[in-house]
Amino acid sequence: MNRARIRWHILVFLAPAVIVYTAVMIWPLFNTLRLALFSVIEQERVFVGLDNFRTLFFDPIWSEQFWNALGNNFWFFLIHMLVQNPIGIALAALLSHPRLRFAALYRSAIFIPTILSFVIVGFAWKLILSPIWGIAPSMLDAVGLKALFAPWLGKEEYALTTLALVSVWQFVGIPMMLIYAALLTIPEEILEAGEVDGITGMAAFWKIKLPLILPSIGIISILTFVGNFNAFDLIYAAQGALAGPDFSTDILGTFMYRTFFGFQLQLGDPHMGSAIASAMFAIILVGVCIYLFGIQTRMRRYQL
Amino acid sequence: MNKARSNPLNTLMMHGALILYTLIALFPVFVILINSFKERRSIFREPLALPNAESYSTIGYNTVMQQGDFFLYFQNSMTVTVASLFFVLLFGAMAAYALSEYRFRGNMLMGLYLALGIMIPIRIGTVAILEMMVATGLVNTLWALILVYTAQGLPLAVFILSEFMRQVSDDLKNAGRIDGLSEYTIFFRLVLPLVRPAMATVAVFNMIPIWNDLWFPLILAPAEETKTLTLGSQVFIGQFVTDWNAVLSALSMAILPVLVLYVIFSRQLIRGITSGAVK
């Protein structure tokens, strides 16, 4: 065999994917990181080093917005971790119960919100929570809790939490499905062995199933993290680019959009936008690295 | 099966919890759909009542049909989604085949390089993507969106498809080689048909995020003639905030195509997720 012969077909098979992927994804990614080091001074693009980051982190006008968006983003993520993933796991545990009737029906119905677009979800909840329409207050009235009603999306202290919960409502289907899939791979013999030892019901879930699905919980956590730190659509659809009231729902995605695209009277600044994108990239990279090297490698995996 | 796991009270409670959550999941969709068929006063007076002979009205749908070009938006969304899926599947399968079938220097490295994009969202590079699209004149064309979604879908597609292609029997491919088939013929005629289920999984995974995306249509193709359905309804609803009939009807019209697609593909989607394709 002639080793030096170029096998052209390998090149032909690889080329389209590699070219599109490199040109539209990897190259712009690095180019964005590069653009973050430039600025426009007197209508000319000049290299300014880390100046944009200095502005972003330390200039009072910018840094206040940045830390606000970052803090909000962490709160947004925390709500997902504390509400979405436990509910998803609980639903999956119920659905994976052997001989549960209508399981397929429940599964398909609960997944429906996940397939809807943010625009639909954002507006639908905006209407439902609206004090003008009054569905939410009248439903609370029916159970005697009318006093609890507030225009949640319009109040600074509630708006972000409300939107996070709406997002939880929308995406609960994803952890549910992934955990459900993991639960189905647990062999019946293990559970039966547990039963022989008297471990059934809830105890079986905590002591046998949960340790076995920990790797899947790790995966949904990192998916949630990446998804939340580049979220944008829901906030934009429900509250607009200004992420009102008074920036209380501003997260990194909306902050970056406003900065680089401009809004109302503020002109867009692609270089500051790139700087924010770079910060988002760094945050996501740190998260993914913590997961890959800190969590995934230490997690005990059981050979089933 | 023994008694310990089938206590009737437990079963009842499980159904109770699942029904409760199903109601929570479906309630908003239900409210939007029923109210889109009512006239304005009944929307406010009895939001939870089904439309009856007295309250039935399609005035909202009439406004939507007159004011918004929803057929065009729908067509744009369809074009973008179908074209992106086509390229993701074709290019993804080709690259996956190269990585799983041939041994060559840099194979591992190439696999890792292509897998990078699974975790890194393409949105981070938006500023440079926009500059590139402006420079190449692709801004405000559907091609800009198709290219972006193809690049976005490729990493996971290559990853999933190469897992499946490793399972295709070597004997089959070698038999083809002995019969004098070219590598291209082996790929298109022998291998592709065998990984069709995996391709369907990849298609269904990609379809929903592409159809629902708001970010890239908003930034790369906001012109009237290239608006997708998601962006179109966002803009339309923004303009008609106070016309509740129109807003509810527009929402229903945006829900309907996705719901239909879901009913058709839900088994495929759920089988795809549960078959462990994303582990």
Side-chain angles (χ1 to χ4, degrees), chain A residues 156-289:
Chain A
E156 269 178 55
E157 59 269 44
Y158 302 130
L160 181 65
T161 311
T162 311
L163 281 174
L165 290 174
V166 168
S167 172
V168 166
W169 170 83
Q170 184 179 7
F171 285 116
V172 113
I174 290 176
M176 178 186 83
M177 287 294 189
L178 293 178
I179 296 294
Y180 175 70
L183 286 171
L184 287 186
T185 62
I186 299 177
E188 192 66 11
E189 296 87 58
I190 295 188
L191 298 175
E192 276 167 11
E195 265 171 34
V196 172
D197 290 339
I199 304 173
T200 54
M202 286 298 269
F205 176 75
W206 290 108
K207 291 190 177 152
I208 303 175
K209 293 181 185 169
L210 198 63
L212 288 173
I213 57 168
L214 271 186
S216 300
I217 296 180
I219 292 176
I220 57 172
S221 307
I222 189 66
L223 287 180
T224 313
F225 181 83
V226 175
N228 285 166
F229 275 88
N230 78 100
F232 160 80
D233 309 54
L234 179 68
I235 311 271
Y236 182 78
Q239 307 288 59
L242 280 174
D246 193 20
F247 300 112
S248 61
T249 55
D250 201 17
I251 56 173
L252 291 172
T254 45
F255 181 40
M256 167 174 140
Y257 174 81
R258 263 203 330 273
T259 306
F260 108 89
F261 221 58
F263 69 100
Q264 291 175 0
L265 295 174
Q266 183 188 324
L267 279 177
D269 181 345
H271 303 284
M272 281 309 282
S274 302
I276 299 170
S278 309
M280 287 164 75
F281 179 63
I283 293 168
I284 289 174
L285 212 58
V286 168
V288 171
C289 286

Side-chain angles (χ1 to χ4, degrees), chain A residues 230 232-233 236 241 252-262 270 273 277 280, chain B residues 122-134 138-141 144-145 148-149 213-223 226-228 231 234-235:
Chain A
N230 78 100
F232 160 80
D233 309 54
Y236 182 78
L252 291 172
T254 45
F255 181 40
M256 167 174 140
Y257 174 81
R258 263 203 330 273
T259 306
F260 108 89
F261 221 58
M280 287 164 75
Chain B
I122 192 170
R123 284 183 187 185
I124 303 285
T126 306
V127 177
I129 292 178
L130 179 63
E131 272 194 6
M132 184 174 78
M133 295 300 174
V134 171
L138 286 176
V139 84
N140 277 329
T141 64
L145 296 177
V148 166
Y149 295 139
D213 189 39
L214 178 63
W215 176 263
F216 284 112
L218 187 65
I219 287 165
L220 296 179
T226 53
K227 271 192 192 118
T228 59
L231 179 61
Q234 149 83 21
V235 173

Side-chain angles (χ1 to χ4, degrees), chain A residues 7-10 12-14 16-18 20-29 31-33 35 45 87 91 94-95 97-102 106-120 123-125 127-128 130 132-135 138-139 168-169 172 177-178 180-182 184-185 188 191-192 195 200-201 219 222-223 226 230-233 236-237 253 256-257 260-261 270 273-274 277-278 280-281 284-285 288 291, chain B residues 1-2 4-6 11 14-15 17-19 21-22 24-29 31-32 35 43-44 47-48 91-92 94-95 97-99 102-104 110 112-133 147-148 150-152 154-155 158 183-184 187-188 208 211-215 218-219 222 230-231 233-234 237-238 244 247-248 251 254-255 258-259 262 266 269-270 273-276 278-279:
Chain A
R7 289 178 289 174
W8 285 104
H9 51 269
I10 299 183
V12 173
F13 279 132
L14 275 176
V18 174
V20 173
Y21 173 71
T22 309
V24 187
M25 186 153 180
I26 299 297
W27 169 249
L29 187 64
N31 209 10
T32 301
L33 301 183
L35 283 175
R45 186 171 274 185
I87 292 183
L91 289 171
L94 290 178
L95 283 176
H97 198 276
R99 290 176 305 128
L100 178 83
R101 301 180 76 189
F102 312 121
Y106 290 129
R107 210 172 51 192
S108 307
I110 294 174
F111 202 70
I112 284 182
T114 311
I115 61 160
L116 299 178
S117 81
F118 297 94
V119 174
I120 299 170
F123 276 106
W125 278 100
L127 297 184
I128 288 168
S130 152
I132 305 174
W133 196 5
I135 286 198
S138 60
M139 286 183 69
V168 166
W169 170 83
V172 113
M177 287 294 189
L178 293 178
Y180 175 70
L184 287 186
T185 62
E188 192 66 11
L191 298 175
E192 276 167 11
E195 265 171 34
T200 54
I219 292 176
I222 189 66
L223 287 180
V226 175
N230 78 100
F232 160 80
D233 309 54
Y236 182 78
M256 167 174 140
Y257 174 81
F260 108 89
F261 221 58
S274 302
S278 309
M280 287 164 75
F281 179 63
I284 289 174
L285 212 58
V288 171
Y291 165 72
Chain B
M1 209 63 70
N2 64 26
R5 270 197 258 159
S6 55
T11 315
M14 279 167 47
H15 279 287
L18 285 169
I19 289 171
Y21 198 86
T22 307
I24 295 176
L26 295 185
F27 173 73
V29 179
V31 169
I32 300 292
N35 281 292
I43 292 179
F44 284 96
L48 294 180
F91 295 169
M94 284 165 65
Y97 185 64
L99 292 177
Y102 307 115
R103 299 179 62 181
F104 56 94
M110 187 54 86
L112 278 178
Y113 173 68
L114 286 172
L116 270 183
I118 296 178
M119 275 302 172
I120 301 167
I122 192 170
R123 284 183 187 185
I124 303 285
T126 306
V127 177
I129 292 178
L130 179 63
E131 272 194 6
M132 184 174 78
M133 295 300 174
L147 279 171
V148 166
T150 305
Q152 170 186 279
L154 276 173
V158 172
E183 294 297 319
Y184 306 106
F187 170 69
F188 282 108
I208 294 165
W211 183 276
N212 284 342
D213 189 39
L214 178 63
W215 176 263
L218 187 65
I219 287 165
T230 308
L231 179 61
S233 26
Q234 149 83 21
I237 294 169
W244 285 65
V247 168
L248 290 166
L251 281 174
I255 293 175
V258 196
L259 219 53
Y262 180 63
S266 70
L269 177 76
I270 288 166
I273 300 176
T274 50
S275 74
V278 285
K279 264 184 215 161

